[in-house]
Every structure is written in C-alpha cells, then in structure tokens.
Amino acid sequence: MSLTKADVVQAGVEILDTYGLGDLSMRRLADRLGVKAGALYWHVANKQSLLAAVSDEILSVAGGPTSLPDVDVDLDAGVDEWARCFRRVLLDHRDGAELVASTISVGLGEVDPTVRLREFLVAHGFDVDGAGGICRAIVHLVLGHTMEEQTRSQLHDLGVMGEVDPARQERDFDLAMRIFIAGMDTAR
C-alpha cells in the first residue's frame, strides 16, 4: 500500500491528539507510518506544511465552523453558534487552539474557518470590511479562550496546578460571547 497525503495528515492528527503539538515531529510521524522521514516530503514540503495540513483537517470536520451558520438564523444566534462550534472543534484536539492559531498567524492553511461566518454577516447587513473585522475579532476571542482552557487542563494533568473548573470556563465563555455579540453593531 502506498502512502498518501491523507495518510500523512491523519497520522499527524493522531500524534497531535496523543502527544500534543510539541511532539508532532517529522521523525515521530515517519516512525508511526513505518517509513523514513524523507518519504514524507513527497506529501508535505516541510513541518510547517504538515502543521497547516493538520490544522486544515481539524477545521474541515463535517458540521464544523466551515459549514456554519445558516443564513436564515438570527444574527446573534448565528454568531454564537459559529463561535461555540469553532471552540468545540478546537477542544476536540489536544493543542488544537495553539495549532490553528499558529497556522492562521503565518497564513499557511488553506481552510479559512470564517468564510461562512463572513457571508452570514454580510447577509445580515454588515459591509465586507465590518464582517471581516468581526471575523478576525471573534477568531482571536475563541482561540485565546480555548488556548487558555487547553493549557490549564494540561497543567492540571501534569500536576502543576489544582483542579480545573469546567463550569467556570463555560461561564467565562458565555460572558465573553454576550459581550462580543452586544458590541457587534459598532462594526456596521
């Protein structure tokens, strides 16, 4: 059976979920796939390309942020639904927020999780610039909040910090979303 890019990316996701971003290396990936590291370069140009492909895979999940929200949904509910979906997708993968944040910041990923959200906002009366600004702001909010959640959880698992309060994290996210949604009209 020959190795495909999909095989490489899937193995990358599995390593991310098992060991975290710090241990997602070309060598570990090659070992997992039973090939020499050089064989991976037929499918991904370098480690940054691998990380971008893994990020794209995470963001492209069915029912994820690339498929929401439905234009017929109320503005506030649609933005809230998109943000919660984006957060859930990130939380589904160890270091998901850190990986996606780094991919977005260097512009290597092919999947823009905000395409549908931007279209939704324009359909609800925002101009393209205002919609773009809202998308960038909500991405920063969700990534930052989720990265903190994942970091706290990992520090707890390592015994570095005490209990993590998931209910508190949820309340903090709810508050952040209420504040964000209440301020969206300033972008019109």
Side-chain angles (χ1 to χ4, degrees), residues 152-166:
R152 286 179 183 272
S153 178
Q154 290 171 18
L155 290 173
H156 167 71
D157 292 348
L158 292 170
V160 175
M161 67 179 294
E163 277 305 308
V164 174
D165 184 354

Side-chain angles (χ1 to χ4, degrees), residues 138-167:
I138 199 165
V139 163
H140 289 286
L141 183 153
V142 175
L143 285 172
H145 182 86
T146 308
M147 200 176 305
E148 182 179 318
E149 281 184 272
Q150 290 180 319
T151 300
R152 286 179 183 272
S153 178
Q154 290 171 18
L155 290 173
H156 167 71
D157 292 348
L158 292 170
V160 175
M161 67 179 294
E163 277 305 308
V164 174
D165 184 354

Side-chain angles (χ1 to χ4, degrees), residues 3-5 7-9 11-13 15-16 19-54:
L3 189 64
T4 66
K5 183 174 181 178
D7 297 330
V8 171
V9 172
V13 171
I15 290 170
L16 176 73
Y19 303 103
L21 186 56
D23 287 328
L24 178 51
S25 67
M26 298 300 270
R27 180 173 304 193
R28 181 173 287 230
L29 182 59
D31 288 347
R32 182 173 197 107
L33 292 168
V35 299
K36 298 225 184 268
L40 300 176
Y41 294 106
W42 286 99
H43 305 287
V44 290
N46 51 41
K47 184 174 178 182
Q48 284 306 113
S49 296
L50 169 66
L51 296 178
V54 171

